[in-house]
Amino acid sequence: MDHGSLAPVHACLSHWAALIEIERHPETAKAYHRAGYLAQVATTPEQGREHLAGAAAIYRDAARAVRER
């Protein structure tokens, strides 16, 4: 472990910034939360993966939008 490193702090802040970016847009937030819910209640692993992939794509887009500012 690298004591004194700020990398974990930066990672946490980046994660939260992406989540805030998602929540700034109500329709995007709705789609993100719905995909997460549907992944949890999926009846097959394939359905779960499909919904998680949708949530991940929304998260990646939000993280990219934050980085580009």
Side-chain angles (χ1 to χ4, degrees), residues 1-8:
M1 177 181 281
D2 185 17
H3 295 295
S5 172
L6 293 177

Side-chain angles (χ1 to χ4, degrees), residues 4-21:
S5 172
L6 293 177
V9 174
H10 290 286
C12 183
L13 291 174
S14 295
H15 172 68
W16 278 101
L19 293 178
I20 290 168
E21 179 65 19

Side-chain angles (χ1 to χ4, degrees), residues 31-54:
Y32 179 74
H33 294 294
R34 181 164 174 71
Y37 169 76
L38 291 173
Q40 290 179 354
V41 299
T43 57
T44 67
E46 294 78 20
Q47 287 176 339
R49 281 191 288 274
E50 180 181 323
H51 294 300
L52 284 176

